[in-house]
Amino acid sequence: ALDTATILDALRASILALALGSGIFVAFGGYQGGEDNLNVSAVATILFAGVAFLAVSFLVLLAARTSGLPVGSSPVFDVLPAFFAEVPQGRFLGTAFFALVALGSLWALVALLEVVVSFAIDEWAWPRWLAALAVTGALGALGVLAARLGEIAVPGLEGSVDAVPLVAYLATTWLLPAGALLVALFVGWGTQSWEKQEEVRYGPISGVLYFVWDHLLLKVVAPIGIALVLLDGAGQAAPLLDRFAALFG
C-alpha cells in the first residue's frame, strides 16, 4: 500500500541509489571534454542506476518468495545466497552476480576516493600515486579500526552497539542525506541561472522546461524531499506527512 512509510522508504532509496551515480558522475565528469553533453551523461547515469536498482529489487522479492525467507535489513546478502543455493546452476549464477556487485562496489570506491585524492593533489601538490596510496591506506586503517573496536558505548544509549553498524547508520541516515541537501541548496539557490546553463551546456532555453527544471525541481522538490529523509531519521517525517495529508483529506 502507498502509505507514508512507503513514500519515505522510496525517498531514502532514491537518495542512496542516486548518490552512487552522482558520485561517479562528479568524480569522472571532471575529466570529460568540453564537447561532451552533460545532460546526456546525467540522464544515462540516472537511468542505469534506476534500472539496476529495480532489477536487484525484483530479484530479491522473487528470491524471498521462492525461498520463504523474510526480507531483512540486508536482503542482498541474506536472501540471495539461499536463493542461489536452491536454483539450478545457482553456484555459477551466484558467483557471477556477486562478482558484478563487487565490481560495482570497486567503481564506487574509486569514484569516492577520487574526490579526496584530487584534493590532496591540488592542495598539497602530492603525486597521484602517493595521494592514492595515502588516502586508500588511511581509509582502510579506519575501516579496520572500526571492525576491531567491536561494541562501543555511545553516550545517551543504554548498553553498547557494534561500531560498524553504527558507522553505517550515521552515514546512510544522517551524513549522506545532509550532504545531498547541501548540494541541492547550493545548486538550486547558490548559483545563477546562466551558471547552470553553462555548466550543463543546456543552451539558451526558456519557458516551461527551464521553469520546471530550475525553479521547481532544483529549488523546491529536491530540497524538500531530502529534508524529509533527514526528518525521518529523527522520527519526525511520518507525523509531519500525516498532518499534511489530513489537511487535504
Side-chain angles (χ1 to χ4, degrees):
L2 185 60
D3 53 9
T4 302
T6 303
I7 295 174
L8 292 173
D9 288 341
L11 287 174
R12 184 177 300 279
S14 299
I15 293 178
L16 295 178
L18 292 179
L20 172 58
S22 62
I24 296 175
F25 183 68
V26 170
F28 296 114
Y31 300 99
Q32 288 185 303
E35 71 281 356
D36 295 322
N37 192 318
L38 294 184
N39 300 298
V40 176
S41 299
V43 171
T45 301
I46 293 173
L47 288 178
F48 281 121
V51 169
F53 185 79
L54 288 175
V56 174
S57 299
F58 282 123
L59 180 60
V60 168
L61 292 176
L62 175 63
R65 174 171 294 186
T66 302
S67 60
L69 296 175
V71 180
S73 59
S74 181
V76 172
F77 299 102
D78 293 339
V79 177
L80 291 184
F83 172 73
F84 286 127
E86 296 177 0
V87 299
Q89 303 298 323
R91 177 173 296 182
F92 170 77
L93 294 176
T95 301
F97 175 81
F98 284 106
L100 292 175
V101 170
L103 184 62
S105 301
L106 175 63
W107 282 111
L109 179 62
V110 170
L112 295 175
L113 287 177
E114 177 62 21
V115 178
V116 187
V117 170
S118 297
F119 177 84
I121 294 173
D122 295 337
E123 296 296 325
W124 301 327
W126 288 5
R128 172 166 287 275
W129 67 268
L130 177 59
L133 285 178
V135 171
T136 304
L139 294 180
L142 289 176
V144 172
L145 177 62
R148 295 285 295 178
L149 282 177
E151 294 187 350
I152 59 175
V154 178
L157 296 179
E158 296 182 0
S160 58
V161 295
D162 196 349
V164 175
L166 176 62
V167 172
Y169 165 77
L170 293 175
T172 58
T173 304
W174 298 105
L175 298 180
L176 185 59
L181 180 60
L182 291 176
V183 171
L185 291 175
F186 173 76
V187 175
W189 297 93
T191 57
Q192 301 295 324
S193 296
W194 66 267
E195 293 176 308
K196 299 170 191 175
Q197 294 185 25
E198 182 180 358
E199 286 297 326
V200 301
R201 303 184 74 242
Y202 225 119
I205 66 169
S206 59
V208 176
L209 178 61
Y210 182 79
F211 178 84
V212 171
W213 177 70
D214 185 17
H215 298 283
L216 184 60
L217 294 179
L218 290 182
K219 293 183 176 180
V220 179
V221 175
I224 290 178
I226 300 171
L228 285 174
V229 173
L230 275 173
L231 289 174
D232 184 46
Q236 300 299 318
L240 180 63
L241 288 178
D242 289 337
R243 287 195 295 267
F244 181 79
L247 294 177
F248 298 92

